[in-house]
Amino acid sequence: GAVVSQHPSWVICKSGTSVKIECRSLDFQATTMFWYRQFPKQSLMLMATSNEGSKATYEQGVEKDKFLINHASLTLSTLTVTSAHPEDSSFYICSAIGQGGEKLFFGSGTQLSVL
Amino acid sequence: SQKIEQNSEALNIQEGKTATLTCNYTNYSPAYLQWYRQDPGRGPVFLLLIRENEKEKRKERLKVTFDTTLKQSLFHITASQPADSATYLCALDSGNTPLVFGKGTRLSVIA
């Protein structure tokens, strides 16, 4: 089946620093990837849709200058949280659409803690 | 407004029993609905997809029903095992936008 690899699994950083999260599709090409954020006991909230070779589409309320998304190849999308603050602490998960365009394959997630 | 509701935040059942989880939605007309399993600190894993013209779908011990009149899907795990303990998310197709997820139901199967 389709495998999506996400790194790092967890990261602790100081307030004001930037953090980059990578999402790779290992055995298929993903023209579209999605980035979600999940707070404890809450639903997955879509942050943005990442399209290879074009600008990401951000959901309402998500700051595009704070959450930089780059999808430079068919197998790699990155999310950079710039000038992170404690309120950005959350579980970030990427996903890619499998063949058929219906099922989502998720990465293992990144737990970000900003001190 | 549009809503997806999984009416139980948590569900505890005895091993061997059938677990039934509910997903209700309002103001959506999904072409299909999906169920995912999420373990703590991990990304969700796809389990089943059911289309609007399907009443029921099965996969091993899992069964999903979809009633577009009631705007409801039921997710059943028969002969439940402690290893089935996880959070189960329903997600539906909302047309042109990506999948929209419910908050999930945390299932605990007690030995």
Side-chain angles (χ1 to χ4, degrees), chain A residues 93-113:
Chain A
I93 317 175
C94 69
S95 69
I97 298 180
Q99 282 188 330
E102 293 171 338
K103 287 187 255 185
L104 287 182
F105 294 94
F106 285 86
S108 54
T110 298
Q111 181 64 52
L112 172 63
S113 297

Side-chain angles (χ1 to χ4, degrees), chain B residues 5-74:
Chain B
E5 290 180 321
Q6 294 187 246
N7 61 349
S8 296
E9 185 177 318
L11 178 66
N12 297 327
I13 63 163
Q14 207 70 33
E15 182 178 8
K17 301 291 186 184
T18 296
T20 298
L21 285 62
T22 306
C23 178
N24 295 292
Y25 59 91
T26 54
N27 294 322
Y28 285 107
S29 296
Y32 55 83
L33 188 145
Q34 302 183 23
W35 284 88
Y36 289 78
R37 168 180 172 145
Q38 186 176 22
D39 290 286
R42 309 290 293 177
V45 174
F46 172 82
L47 295 175
L48 281 167
L49 179 153
I50 186 165
R51 300 186 189 283
E52 60 178 341
N53 60 348
E54 297 175 314
K55 294 292 185 188
E56 182 180 297
K57 192 71 98 47
R58 290 176 186 260
K59 179 183 174 184
E60 296 173 354
R61 293 184 295 112
L62 308 180
K63 184 178 86 171
V64 172
T65 63
F66 193 11
D67 188 325
T68 55
T69 302
L70 290 178
K71 296 187 183 296
Q72 181 181 79
S73 175
L74 298 179

Side-chain angles (χ1 to χ4, degrees), chain A residues 48-51 54-58 69-70:
Chain A
T49 301
S50 167
N51 296 297
S54 63
K55 289 184 180 179
T57 304
Y58 290 82
I69 291 173
N70 184 283

Side-chain angles (χ1 to χ4, degrees), chain A residues 13-17 37 39 66 81 83-90 92 111-115:
Chain A
C13 68
K14 291 182 180 179
S15 186
T17 59
R37 182 165 53 183
F39 292 104
K66 181 168 184 62
V81 183
S83 187
H85 290 286
E87 58 265 29
D88 298 322
S89 299
S90 185
Y92 293 86
Q111 181 64 52
L112 172 63
S113 297
V114 184
L115 305 177

Side-chain angles (χ1 to χ4, degrees), chain A residues 19-87:
Chain A
V19 174
K20 180 185 279 189
I21 303 169
E22 290 190 349
C23 182
R24 293 179 185 274
S25 56
L26 296 186
D27 52 358
F28 67 105
Q29 293 182 331
T31 54
T32 302
M33 289 186 175
F34 303 100
W35 287 95
Y36 290 86
R37 182 165 53 183
Q38 186 178 36
F39 292 104
K41 296 187 179 180
Q42 296 297 311
S43 176
L44 292 166
M45 296 302 298
L46 180 67
M47 298 175 67
T49 301
S50 167
N51 296 297
E52 186 268 335
S54 63
K55 289 184 180 179
T57 304
Y58 290 82
E59 295 299 302
Q60 193 172 8
V62 178
E63 300 173 57
K64 62 180 181 181
D65 294 330
K66 181 168 184 62
F67 298 99
L68 299 178
I69 291 173
N70 184 283
H71 195 157
S73 78
L74 286 171
T75 58
L76 175 64
S77 175
T78 60
L79 168 68
T80 300
V81 183
T82 61
S83 187
H85 290 286
E87 58 265 29

